[in-house]
Every structure is written in structure tokens, then in C-alpha cells.
Amino acid sequence: GIALGRRQPVTIGSRYDLASLTKVLCTTTLVAQAVGLGELSVDDRLPRSLAIGEYRPTLRDLLEHSSGLAAHREFFHEPWSLGIGERDELIAAIRELPLAAAPRTQAIYSDLGFILLGAWLESLRGARIDELFVERVARPLGLERELGFPGLKPLPATEVAATEVYDAS
């Protein structure tokens, strides 16, 4: 959450935006489960349907952020101008980007690699990653109402605790 010039006290009912923790809380946990169940191995390669050109990084490459993929791109700007819900277009755009570094030569904390990793989990399990998280993590822990994805519509700012001050000037 971002404070937009207003202050209000945090209460027991305050909700926090954990978007920056999605990789750790959601994707990495689901990958660990798949590896633990023998559905994936760290040496498995990204499916051909998600390859970057001909390059198919291993699960280890993606988890260690050593795939060579760029850290991020602002796909909501030109030349892409993608909007909310354009998942397939986002995956296609990532797959067309040149690598930022040769594989396994440096660690680049890559949102793009984890987006592909999430798509890999979705193809493996046949469900969206938010659904997988609820089914396999949040619900078994009894946290379905407390920890999850509210959907594509943002929550009202008054419902989310501010965790940083945003100053656009």
C-alpha cells in the first residue's frame, strides 16, 4: 500500500499489500511442493511452449535468478501497452525479449523469470496460479480469507495499510 497524503491508524483489521512477496509466498512455495511431490526437478527445463526463442532455462536457473532474463520491463508502456488481464500477451512479450546476460553468468533478480515460472506451474497443474495458491497453500493453512489474491480490481486505498510514502513530484 502507498500513502497518498492521508494518515490513519493501523488496526487489527488492516490489510497489507504483499505483492512484493508474491514470489516467496506463492510461486516458490508451489514450486517446492511440486519438487517435493516429484512433479518437477530443479534440472527440468522450461516447457517449449514457454521458451525464450530456443532457450529453455532450467527450474534451477529461474529459482536462482541466473537465467539471464532482464529484471523487469514496464509492459504497460509502449511498445507493448498491455493492460490488466492480458496474460497471454504478457507471456508472449517476455518470450521475445533478448537476454540481459548470458545464462548462469550473473544473478539478476528477475520478475520476468518468475512470471514464466508461474506460467509453468499453471500449465503443469491446469489452473491459474492464484487458484493453485488458495487450493494448495492458503486453504490447507486455514488462511484462505486472510492470505490470497483479491482479483484484478484493486482494493480501495482506505482498506490497505500504507507501507511507503509515494511522492510523484
Side-chain angles (χ1 to χ4, degrees):
I2 298 174
L4 298 173
R6 62 177 168 70
R7 293 177 187 251
Q8 60 188 69
V10 172
T11 68
I12 194 73
S14 296
R15 298 175 79 172
Y16 286 84
D17 177 354
L18 301 178
S20 62
L21 299 176
T22 302
K23 292 178 200 72
V24 175
L25 292 174
C26 179
T27 311
T28 305
T29 302
L30 290 169
V31 167
Q33 286 179 348
V35 170
L37 293 169
E39 298 169 342
L40 286 175
S41 162
V42 293
D43 296 318
D44 288 348
R45 294 207 171 268
L46 191 67
R48 290 190 196 289
S49 62
L50 296 171
I52 301 106
E54 295 298 314
Y55 174 49
R56 295 171 53 212
T58 64
L59 179 59
R60 180 186 315 273
D61 295 335
L62 294 171
L63 290 171
E64 293 178 351
H65 296 282
S66 63
S67 67
L69 284 163
H72 73 281
R73 288 289 183 269
E74 293 182 345
F75 291 107
F76 49 88
H77 286 306
E78 292 289 337
W80 305 282
S81 300
L82 297 178
I84 293 173
E86 295 188 80
R87 177 204 180 276
D88 293 341
E89 294 83 355
L90 174 62
I91 300 293
I94 293 170
R95 294 180 60 220
E96 292 173 7
L97 289 174
L99 294 180
R104 302 213 61 81
T105 60
Q106 60 181 294
I108 301 172
Y109 187 76
S110 177
D111 293 338
L112 308 182
F114 263 68
I115 291 169
L116 292 177
L117 190 50
W120 187 356
L121 288 166
E122 290 177 341
S123 67
L124 177 71
R125 295 267 170 78
R128 288 189 341 232
I129 196 162
D130 58 325
E131 295 167 348
L132 293 171
F133 179 75
V134 169
E135 173 191 326
R136 295 180 167 265
V137 180
R139 188 175 298 137
L141 292 173
L143 296 172
E144 185 174 3
R145 293 181 55 120
E146 290 82 8
L147 190 61
F149 300 91
L152 296 178
K153 184 179 177 191
L155 294 171
T158 55
E159 290 185 26
V160 181
T163 55
E164 62 184 355
V165 176
Y166 179 73
D167 182 3
S169 58

